[in-house]
Amino acid sequence: MYDIKALYEATSVADAVSLLVAHPEAKIIAGGSDVLIQIREGRLAGCELVSIYKLDELRGVSLDADGTLRIGPLTSFSHITKDPLIRQIINVLGEAVDMVGGPQVRNIGTIGGNTCNGVTSADSASTLHAWDAVMEVTGPNGVRQLPIKEFYIWAGEVALQPGELLTAILIAKESYEGYVGHYIKYAMRNAMDIATTGCSVNVKLSADKKTIEDARIAYGVAGPVPMRAPSAEAAVKGLPVSQATVEAFGEAVLKDVNPRTSWRASKELRLQLAQELAKRALARSIQLAGGDI
């Protein structure tokens, strides 16, 4: 059924790095929901695999001493959705990954695999961009941290160097404290479908809930990689909570997004979606933060 040349089972992160260095053409396999499909389709026929599935130190969600939210890359979508810290601090991420595939995929698929694939349609990617996530990678030269916008290089390509693997997704306290967000996925079907466009927004309101102190927005499928819309963020910062502000937000995203036409949707439809989803996601985020439009 599967054409695999060799399978190496890592016993630790250090062992995984050693295996990747010794077998530079090998692919990492965790949940396998993407890799096994590619093997079965023949795109990775005869490949070598380094399995990190048994590395429990890469699973789970925790808080570092400085309040940084640490998400293990082997954490499944189902566990992220149900995790108490995710629900308390960044519930929108749990909502976003709960839209991936069906229950079977969400039970085995991992957030690390979802991001390391480098695809712009990944449901977790836009939300992680909107929350200023930092990607921690470990390799033969030690540990390094990359802002997620630097982690994504091009469609299907991320900044992992030879021998490296993702070991954590980090969200700093200053990036989540006081912020509330909402994610909207537009697809042709309500389940088991890839996003035509995904939009994630979060806001921080003033103490009286009358002013937008800060807003962040990120998209999937609005360009070759998941991306922020800085023009929209700047356009509403410091403005009063109002319908006019929401409209200005939607208009400003058109300065940044650059979707393409594909068999799923035309560029023109995606531009319309980007504008409308921005307005809806901002309005909902304001409501969740206690504001009234």
Side-chain angles (χ1 to χ4, degrees):
M1 182 182 296
Y2 296 109
D3 183 3
I4 299 171
K5 180 180 178 180
L7 173 64
Y8 308 101
E9 193 83 52
T11 57
S12 65
V13 171
D15 185 40
V17 171
S18 296
L19 287 168
L20 290 170
V21 170
H23 306 279
E25 300 301 318
K27 302 294 182 181
I28 295 174
I29 183 169
S33 56
D34 286 314
V35 170
L36 292 178
I37 291 172
Q38 293 178 44
I39 294 173
R40 195 167 186 176
E41 290 177 343
R43 288 185 284 163
L44 293 177
C47 69
E48 296 178 288
L49 298 176
V50 173
S51 173
I52 60 172
Y53 184 77
K54 293 183 178 180
L55 304 187
D56 287 339
E57 63 263 43
L58 299 184
R59 281 189 176 84
V61 181
S62 61
L63 282 178
D64 290 348
D66 62 357
T68 297
L69 185 70
R70 178 176 293 268
I71 304 171
L74 290 188
T75 310
S76 71
F77 300 126
S78 297
H79 280 98
I80 285 174
T81 300
K82 298 172 184 176
D83 186 85
L85 284 173
I86 294 292
R87 288 185 170 185
Q88 174 190 344
I89 294 173
I90 181 174
N91 189 52
V92 61
L93 180 60
E95 294 174 346
V97 300
D98 202 41
M99 299 180 188
V100 177
Q104 298 94 331
V105 173
R106 293 194 293 271
N107 285 340
I108 196 170
T110 65
I111 192 166
N114 200 227
T115 52
C116 288
N117 276 341
V119 296
T120 184
S121 59
D123 289 300
S124 66
S126 55
T127 295
L128 291 173
H129 272 73
W131 291 80
D132 288 332
V134 173
M135 314 301 275
E136 178 189 278
V137 300
T138 302
N141 297 318
V143 179
R144 62 191 183 105
Q145 295 182 350
L146 294 170
I148 193 167
K149 65 180 180 180
E150 296 178 13
F151 186 72
Y152 282 80
I153 297 176
W154 194 247
E157 184 181 359
V158 295
L160 287 174
Q161 296 176 0
E164 287 187 331
L165 70 155
L166 181 67
T167 46
I169 298 171
L170 309 172
I171 301 176
K173 186 176 182 179
E174 57 266 27
S175 295
Y176 67 73
E177 194 168 49
Y179 289 84
V180 180
H182 184 59
Y183 173 73
I184 302 176
K185 173 180 181 176
Y186 180 89
M188 299 304 292
R189 298 183 297 181
N190 290 331
M192 299 294 289
D193 202 359
I194 296 172
T196 302
T197 301
C199 176
S200 192
V201 173
N202 59 63
V203 297
K204 184 177 184 180
L205 300 184
S206 59
D208 62 2
K209 309 299 181 184
K210 300 294 185 181
T211 304
I212 296 177
E213 290 190 355
D214 195 20
R216 298 187 296 235
I217 178 170
Y219 286 98
V221 208
V225 295
M227 59 181 293
R228 293 275 287 271
S231 297
E233 296 174 354
V236 300
K237 191 170 184 178
L239 291 187
V241 171
S242 67
Q243 187 59 42
T245 296
V246 171
E247 294 294 330
F249 192 67
E251 288 292 333
V253 301
L254 298 180
K255 298 178 182 179
D256 298 311
V257 298
N258 185 30
R260 66 183 179 92
T261 294
S262 72
W263 67 270
R264 293 184 179 277
S266 66
K267 177 177 181 176
E268 291 74 19
L269 175 59
R270 285 194 167 108
L271 286 171
Q272 181 182 354
L273 286 172
Q275 193 171 15
E276 184 62 29
L277 296 186
K279 293 188 290 185
R280 294 187 186 188
L282 177 62
R284 181 57 179 157
S285 296
I286 289 171
Q287 291 172 353
L288 291 171
D292 185 22
I293 298 176

